[in-house]
Structure formats: C-alpha cells, structure tokens
Amino acid sequence: MAAADSPSTALRRRDLCSRGIRLAGKMRADVVDLLDTYVEQQGLDASASVAAVEGVPLAAVERWDEQTGTQRLLENLAAYRAFRALLAQMLEEQREQLGEADAGLGRALAAVLLQVSAFAYHLEELLRLESRGIPGEEGDGPPPPPRLSLFEQKLRGLGVLRELAQWAVRSARDLRQLAKPSPATGTAPGLAESP
Amino acid sequence: MFSRWNWVACGFCLVLNICSPDASGGLVQSCGHIIPESPVLALGSNFTALCILNESCLDFGNIYANQIIWKIKNRVVPKEQYHEINRTVSSVTFNDTSSLATPLTCNILADGQIEQNIYGITVTVGLAPEKPKNLSCIVHQMSRFTYVMNCTWNPGRHTFLDTQFRLRYSWPEELFPDCIPKGVNNSCTVTDIQFFVNTVIWVEAENALGKAESDPLVVDPIDIVKPLSPRNVSVSSGILPTVLKLSWENWISDAVMTLKFNIRYRIIGDTNWMEVPSEDTASRRTSFSVQGLRPYTEYVFSIRCMKEDGVGYWSDWSEEKTGITTEDQPSEGPSIWRIIDESHSPASWTVHLMWKALKPFEANGVILQYEVTVRDKSSLSCPLKKYNVTSTNYTLQLPKGTYEVTLIARNGVGASPPSVLLIPESNSKAPVKNLRTLPKHDKLWVGWTAPNSYVLKYVIEWCLVSSSSDCIIEWQIALGDVEGIDLKGIKPFKCYLITVYPLYADGQGSGQSVKAYLKQDRPSKGPTVQTKKVGKAEAVLTWNHLTVEEQNGFIRNYTILYKTIDGNETVVTVDPSKTEYTLSSLTSDTLYTVRMMASTDNGSRTGPDFTFTTQKFGKGEIEAIVVPVCLAFLLIVLLGVLFCFNKRDLIKKHIWPIVPDPSKSNIAQWSPQVPAKHNFNSKDQMYPEGSFTDVSVVEIEADNKKSFSEQDLKPFDLLKKEKSTSEGHSSGIGGSSCMSSPRQSVSDSDEGETTQNTSSTVQYSTVVLNGYRDQTPVQVFSRSESTQPLLDSEERSEDHAGGADSTVQRQQYFRQNGGQDETNTDRPCFERTKQITHANEGDLVGFVQLQVSGQSSQPLGLGMEKNTQEAALSNVLQTCTEGQAVRPETVEENPLSVDDMPKSYLPQTVRQGGYMPQ
C-alpha cells in the first residue's frame, strides 16, 4: 500500500471500496437467487453436497485477519478471474443445453458474470491505487477442464455458484477492511475482523 | 448543301451513339458523366462538379466542353459559374450549396440549338450532426430484479440527412452493446444494467457529413435509480387514539440499496397533505407509527422511497391506504345558547336551549347523548334538574329567574368538559358598542367595540330577514378577547339581521343589532307606483316598499320619473322611508307617465309605468262656477215667481181668461126658445142652408149684416197673429168678424186641420148682433180659449164608438158644459151664455157658440154656406185653434145623432159694437 495516500487517492479508494462492498452484496444476493433458479432449472437438490470443484478458489482461509490489504486484493482478484472464466463456461454450456428455451437463467448467469467482471475491475483499480502491479492473467487461462458429463457440469455449476456466494461475503468484508483508514504506515495489515 | 447533309448525318449518328446499347454496360451509353457522383453536401459550403465528356462523343457528335450547359432542376446555371477545363471537361462551382437542387444535370447544346442531356446527379444537402447535449439517464426499477436505464439527450439541430444516434456505455474494460433508438432520436433504454460499477455513457450521432459524440456521462447506475414505490401498504390503529401504524414491503433488496422513506397523510376529505418528518423515516424500515393524529378520524396514507443517501430519484407515491384512529373522550364542551320566549306567560319563560354538535376533532368519537343540567341560581334549595338529550336542542318551561345551564357531551369513551350558560333574569349588563359589518369575499365580518367590563365571550346571532317566513336564527360564539368574527355561509344579496350579546361571568348584556348584506345588487324589481289622488296641478303618488327579498340591498332612495307624452322627463329623488309623494306644478288636463326607481348601492331597478291625467279643473273650481250659476238661476226663478205672484191677476187675466158659462148667460134667460138639442155635425151630413130644424133663433137685424161683413174679419187676422197666448187679445177673436155672419163663422169652424191639436180647448165665439131688448145691439164676437175642461165628456166619449152612445155623449157634453140634466139638454148652452151675459149684463145681445170639430171638414155650424167669407172665416178659425186642445172625436163619435142635433148655435144678441173681454 502506498506510504502516503493523497486525498484524492484516499477518496478514490474509499469510493472503490464502498462500491465494491455494495457490488459484492448485490452479487451475493443475485447469486443466492440464481442458485435457487439454477437448482430448479437443472433438476438438482438444493441440499446436495458438492465436493470442491477443481479450479474454483475457496473463500475460506485461515488467518484471514492477518492478511494484508494487498494480499486480500490479490486473492480476490485471482478468485474472481477464475469465477469469470467458470461462469462464462457455464453460460456457454447452459446455452448449449437449453438453447434459448430458458433465457431467464441465461440472463441471470450473464448478469452475475458481469458483476464478477465488474468486481474484478474494482479489485484491479484498488491494486493500481496500491501502486501494485496487476498480475497478468495466465496466458491462455487455466487449463481447460476435463470433459465432464452433463450431470457433472450441473454439479460443477452448482459448486461455482455456491463458492461465488461465499466469496461475495468474504470480498465485502475484505473491502471493508481495506476501506478503513490505515493505522500507520499502510503496510500494516488491516484491522482484524472475522468474516 | 453538302455541309448541311453532313451535319444531319452527324446528328443522327450522335443520337444513335448515345442511344445505342452498350455491349459492355447498361442499356444507355452516356456521352459523359459528372464527378462527384451523387454527393452529400454540407449546407452552405461551396461545391464544384465536373462534367467529363467521353472521347467517343467528340468524334461522332462533334461536341465539346464549351457546349456544356449546367442545369439545376430545369434551371440553367449562369455561365459565370462554368469553367472549361479542357475540351472534354467543364466544371461548375456553387459558392453556397443552399442554392442547389436535385438533379444537377450536364447538357450539351448541339447544332440546331437542340439541348441534349448528357448526365445528371442527385445532390443531397444537409448538415453534419451536432454534438448531443444534456445527456441524462434514469434507472427505472421494473420489478424486483429488473432495472432498465433510460437515457435522454438533446439531439441538436435537424440535419436534413439520415442521422444515426447510438447510446453507448462501457466499463473501463468492457464495452457493452450499443443502444439504438427506435423511432426517436433523443432517447434510448438499456436493459442490462449492472450496479456498483461506474459506467461511461455517451451518445454518438453520425450521418454522411460527419459524426459527433456527446460528453460522456460517468455514473454508477445505482445512483440514478428510481425505485418502485413500496407495496402492500397497510394501516392499522394502535392502542392510542392518536396513533396509526403504517406497514409496507420494499421492492428492492437491501443488498442492492438501502432506502429511506417519505410518508404523507391527510384527513379523508381534506386535500392538504401532511408529511412525517423526513428524518424520522430516513432509515431502512418496513413500518412506521404515525403519531399526533386526531382521535376517531379517518386518515389517508401514502409512502415513497429512494436510495438512503439521497442520490437518485424518489419513487412514485404508493397507492393510498386509509385508517381510522380510535375514539377518545370529547375534547371540548358543546357551544350552548338559548332563545327565551316570554310571550306565553309574564311570569315564566319558555327557554329553547340549543347547542352545536361538536366538530369531529372535538367529539373524538360518536356522541351518544348530551346531559343538560339546569340550576336555579335564585333559589339555593331548588334541586338540580338533569335531562339526557340526544338532539342538539331542548326546550324548558321555567319561571323567570336566573339559571345556570350546564351541558356535557358523552361518547363511548367519556364525557366532554362541561359547557356553562348563565341565563340571567334580565340582560342588564353593558352591551357592545359600535357594531358594524364588512364584507370580506365570501364572508361577512362582524366587528364591535368591547364594553369596558371583562367579557367571557360573545354570542353572535344572525338570521336571514324574510318577508314570508320567520327569522331562523343561527348563532356562533366568539371568545371574549376578540372584537370581530367572520360569519360563514352568508348568502349574497340577502339581508341579515345580526345581533351581538356579550356574556359576562355574572350576567349578560343586551343585544345590539345591525342589518347587513354580504353583497348587494340592484333591486330585483322596481316599485309599483300609482296615484292616490290626482288634481289639476298635482298628483299624490303612493307605492309600497319592496319586500326584503326584492331589495337585494339597502334601498338608498327612490327616484320618481314622470313626464308628459312629449315632454322631458322630470326626476325626483325621494327618501326611501316614504311611500307617498306629491307631484306638483303639473299641467292640467295632461296625460302623465310616471315610473319609479328603487336604488341600492349597486344599481337601480325601475318599476312599471303608470299613467294618469291631471284634472281640467282644480278643486273647488267647478263648485265656484256651478254654485253661483245655480244661485243666479234660483234667484231668477224666484224673482220670476215673485213677479208672477205680484202680477198674478194680470197673468191670470191673460192666460186664464174667465170663460163665461153659456148656460148662465143672460141670453139664455131671456131666449124664448131653447133649442131642444144641439149637436155637432158629422162629416157626411151636410145640411143645406135653411134646413135648420131645431135652432133657437135670435133675430138679428138684416141691415147690420153688411156692417160686419168685412171689417169684422180683421179681428180674426189679429187673432191669427196673437194666437191664444196673446195677452188681452186672444179672447177678442173678433167678435166683430163674427158679426158679419154668424152662420159663416160657424161654418168656418168646420175646417178639420185646425182642430187636431186643440183637444183640450173649448172655444166659444159669441156674436152679438143685436141689441139687447131695447138696446142697440153691439156686434161682438167673443172667443174663448179657455182650457177649462168643459168638454171632458168628449174625451170620454172617445171610448164609445157606437151610435147608441151618442145620446149619452151628448148628455155628458151638456152636463159638463152646463151641468144640466138630460131633459133639458138645451139649457146648458144658454145657461152658459147667460153667465157671460150675466157678466156683461145688459151688453150681450146674442152669441154664436162655435164648437170646433177635430178632423171633420164639415162645418160644425148649422147651415154653413160655402162662400168666400166662410172660407176666410174658416182660415181664421183654423189659425185660432192651433195649439189648442180641440177634440175631433166630438164630431166623429156622434154621427148617429146628427139628425137630432142642432145644426148650429145661433148667434145671440150682444150689444152692438161691444166687445167683452172675458
């Protein structure tokens, strides 16, 4: 984090954090709503337990309150970039499966995808304010997932959405942490706050 | 010649060349073309076009660039704008494209002045798009999860060209699909809106002449949201009577935005909204308790919301919901007043108590009943009297005295504070002063000056004054510290009687009254004027006051307008209290038209016209004329009577001469022979001369005949002149004339016409031809015009047409004449003669009594001879009998007794030359 924020930078960061927090909140609400729709549309059980999906970053983290702001931003950025790819793949698969028959689900997925993209943009902007380089996206992106069966695709989609909902909560807390004024040098981690 | 044919051939070839199909191109091969092809030009710019001729046309058509003519829509472009670049290219330049039109053609003026079109282009002139301005966007919430963003902008001037507008928006790393307006060029709606990311929004306008972009609008769509108004609004009453709880649901989730609210409410039926303070509802919530409401009042609520931070737009107001607060005990006691009727008994009152129903905000519920308590303050021992009343008035019969009336209104929750009214025995306290009114729009302000004493409150009574119904009193109570109130519900153009009573703690002041109008108008009709009395130069006009309904205001004055038919109108203003006025200085015997006008402050109204005619004579003038005339007449009559009275003997002498009774004449006494009968001749019995059978004959000396033959006719002329009214001469019908021939005189009386109108007159002629006895007879013809009804018997005989009555008639005749009985029918004549003779005793020698017959042309006399003397005498007699009552019937009714009747009365001897006025 920059040693001394200019007032405009601080204002900009506060604005980005505030907006990111609200976006994360809306994203969570939308994802929750989308989960219901998705479960219903895909014929899944809402209580179905889904194992960790490969390529999906986990929101849960140990020593969360010990993370620095930059670290938080980087983890969030990585996660949302992954979600962006996963959601785009889900959207494509959903179109292939249902065509235009369920445009509502497709629009909802697209909306969430947009929000994920927007949140990633917020994170990148915050990193720029932190005078940190933005890590480039990995070349061609993550390795293409193995070919999955249709049911496995549905389960993976359910897992992506559930994890995204978790990440939305965590991201809001991370940004709140970042929005708080730095205690001293700015290199110190943010205040401890349990997710 | 050859040259001409050559040109014709070339022209033909040219046409063929132009029109012949081109194997490589279209159907027509043009001899040239224009550059640029169909340009789009900016309005007001300059423009140059080139017309390039094909080389082939040069050879065959022998045409060159200098022959090119430019035309704009059939209008030749001035050659000054041409420029021949080379022999195949001609240019034209326009400094201002606004003068251009479509099409722009390039033409050739071929030989023979034939104008041939080479090529044409379409020129489009327009404007480049302006930069769109005033871009603004609103995100409308359509449903719980659906938001659309509608952006509007000002597209700028009209470009005259097809201009595309596009709304573009993007994130820093992502460009969204453009929004293309449909049917409009100033707005577009975006459906996929993502919040919490700053979005760059701008508008692009593009046409053939250029492209323009608006300034970018960078906004997070969440900051321009207009949310849906809260739904499922409900109102519930709480425990407190002044609180209502408002509940609702929000459309928008807290994750998207937190909301603040705005609550408004009003009493149903009222139009003014009240708002809950915004700071009370500036946080997220789904319910709110509105406090400070009126008990038992129905309220209408509505709510709206917007983003909590105030960035964005308020939603529309929600649907209205109503709720009623619960009841509370009445907050005020009813206003109470009384009307006291003292007319029934001098010792007691009829007290009409009346009070006003509490207003809803005072009643705080449904008033179930009123409790009236009356306490006689003049008698401490008198118990309280309580009455429970459900209406708003109550009538009591009370002895005169001082009373205290207490009124309580009670609803389902409790009772109101008591209202107390003191009814003193007399209103002995000081009244208000300077009571006045002033209209204020639709209210009537009543003001007064307070008395010096402290006044608890004032009671203002008012009622609509009507001529047809009683004054229905309305009233209102004002606090004691005010000196004026506004009366509501006052109708314009109506008269109100307003009375103000001051109420003191220990009594009441007398009422002061004033009449007032809220608004005045001119009277609805004018007074009807009429005359009470009309004289020669004055007229008393009367009229009735207009009824209060007709006045429409205070009558300030009456105006009398009167005029003659052709005269100027005279105007008289009369005090409004009067109902009578006397017009003076009028012209006599003149028709006047009068009308009357009543005036208020706001106008006048004229009544109907009334006409009257002044009299020709004034009062007493006729009396002044008639009375003296009558008196003069009476005086003349009186004088005449007195004169006549004084001269009565003379008058009587001339008018009523004494008719001598022949039966009492002297000649009757001495005549040796009294005719047994004498009768009148009938018409058809003519007796020849000397056929007298029953005649008393008095000898008359024959030598005297001549002496009165002519000269004695003169008196008959005199008689003719003087007639019967001649004073002193009428009776002197010329005895002398008769003296000539008594027989003639008798015969002359037979002329019928002379006797028609002399029925009541008996004429006697006495001819005295001889001296009496030894005296020298005096020729006297004595005539009597007496109207003495000697011949009444003749009148009565009219009824007896038969000859059998002739005897009776005759008897009556002679009875009347002489009063003799039948057996001595001749005597009356002679008796009468005797009377005359007696009156002229010694002078009368004889007489001939003539009875003039009415219609008979036969002489009544006996042995009449028809000679000239007879005729003359007859004429005289006719004249004499004019105007005298001669009964013709006396002749006609005795035809049967003609044989028995004497044919004539013989003249009797009268002293020669004498004349005896009778």
Side-chain angles (χ1 to χ4, degrees), chain A residues 19 33 114-115 118 121-122 124, chain B residues 145 172-173 194 196-197 220:
Chain A
R19 206 178 301 278
D33 291 337
L114 277 176
Q115 291 174 30
Y121 164 72
H122 275 294
E124 291 171 359
Chain B
F145 301 109
E173 294 180 341
Q194 296 303 320
F196 309 117
V197 181
D220 184 347

Side-chain angles (χ1 to χ4, degrees), chain B residues 587-748:
Chain B
T587 307
S588 64
D589 194 22
T590 303
L591 179 66
Y592 279 90
T593 300
V594 62
R595 58 201 169 98
M596 197 157 180
M597 184 169 68
S599 302
T600 66
D601 291 338
N602 286 55
S604 305
R605 180 83 73 173
T606 305
D609 287 351
F610 180 81
T611 57
F612 65 89
T613 304
T614 51
Q615 293 184 354
K616 195 168 186 178
F617 299 101
K619 180 181 178 182
E621 282 187 8
I622 294 178
E623 289 82 351
I625 295 172
V626 171
V627 170
V629 169
C630 292
L631 290 175
F633 179 75
L634 288 174
L635 185 61
I636 292 170
V637 170
L638 185 61
L639 290 175
V641 169
L642 289 175
F643 178 78
C644 292
F645 184 76
N646 289 334
K647 302 294 183 180
R648 64 183 181 278
D649 295 336
L650 184 63
I651 293 171
K652 183 176 179 184
K653 183 177 173 182
H654 290 285
I655 297 178
W656 297 100
I658 297 173
V659 178
D661 188 351
S663 63
K664 296 179 181 178
S665 64
N666 294 331
I667 193 168
Q669 294 176 2
W670 54 259
S671 177
Q673 294 178 347
V674 175
K677 297 178 182 177
H678 40 259
N679 205 343
F680 299 99
N681 292 334
S682 64
K683 285 182 180 178
D684 25 334
Q685 286 184 333
M686 298 295 294
Y687 297 95
E689 191 176 357
S691 63
F692 301 121
T693 57
D694 193 7
V695 175
S696 295
V697 177
V698 179
E699 290 182 1
I700 301 173
E701 290 182 4
D703 54 353
N704 288 334
K705 284 183 180 177
K706 187 177 180 181
S707 65
F708 54 79
S709 60
E710 293 181 357
Q711 67 183 25
D712 290 340
L713 289 175
K714 294 178 181 175
F716 285 95
D717 294 335
L718 182 63
L719 180 64
K720 185 178 180 181
K721 294 176 183 175
E722 298 177 351
K723 299 186 180 179
S724 61
T725 57
S726 300
E727 189 175 327
H729 299 287
S730 61
S731 57
I733 305 178
S736 59
S737 66
C738 293
M739 283 187 284
S740 62
S741 175
R743 288 166 61 187
Q744 291 172 352
S745 66
V746 170
S747 65
D748 289 341

Side-chain angles (χ1 to χ4, degrees), chain B residues 216 266 297 365 396 414 456 604 613 682 749:
Chain B
R266 60 180 169 86
T297 304
L396 293 168
L456 283 180
S604 305
T613 304
S682 64
S749 68

Side-chain angles (χ1 to χ4, degrees), chain A residues 134-183:
Chain A
I134 301 172
E137 296 191 42
E138 298 176 3
D140 297 331
R147 191 67 184 176
L148 300 175
S149 67
L150 181 59
F151 183 73
E152 288 171 336
Q153 290 178 2
K154 291 181 179 181
L155 283 181
R156 189 190 60 183
L158 181 61
V160 169
L161 292 178
R162 281 181 175 174
E163 201 59 37
L164 179 57
Q166 293 293 329
W167 265 106
V169 175
R170 180 191 162 175
S171 298
R173 297 177 67 89
D174 286 336
L175 291 181
R176 284 197 186 94
Q177 199 71 13
L178 286 171
K180 291 178 179 176
S182 301

Side-chain angles (χ1 to χ4, degrees), chain B residues 465-575:
Chain B
V465 180
S466 170
S467 61
S468 58
S469 61
D470 292 337
C471 214
I472 299 173
I473 292 177
E474 297 178 71
W475 57 277
Q476 183 176 338
I477 287 183
L479 297 177
D481 57 350
V482 301
E483 292 190 348
I485 61 165
D486 290 327
L487 300 183
K488 298 176 182 176
I490 301 296
K491 300 174 184 174
F493 318 131
K494 301 292 183 185
C495 181
Y496 285 87
L497 178 65
I498 301 165
T499 307
V500 176
Y501 297 91
L503 303 185
Y504 300 91
D506 55 349
Q508 177 179 315
S510 58
Q512 293 292 305
S513 298
V514 66
K515 283 185 175 179
Y517 285 87
L518 174 64
K519 193 176 179 183
Q520 295 190 50
D521 195 4
R522 62 175 189 159
S524 56
K525 63 176 287 190
T528 301
V529 66
Q530 57 185 357
T531 53
K532 180 180 179 183
K533 184 179 177 183
V534 177
K536 180 182 177 182
E538 71 283 333
V540 180
L541 302 178
T542 63
W543 61 91
N544 292 325
H545 285 306
L546 297 176
T547 64
V548 70
E549 287 84 2
E550 295 167 343
Q551 291 180 6
N552 291 339
F554 293 114
I555 300 296
R556 298 304 183 194
N557 57 59
Y558 290 119
T559 305
I560 298 173
L561 306 101
Y562 65 98
K563 63 175 182 178
T564 59
I565 290 178
D566 51 355
N568 292 330
E569 195 166 54
T570 305
V571 177
V572 178
T573 302
V574 183
D575 188 85

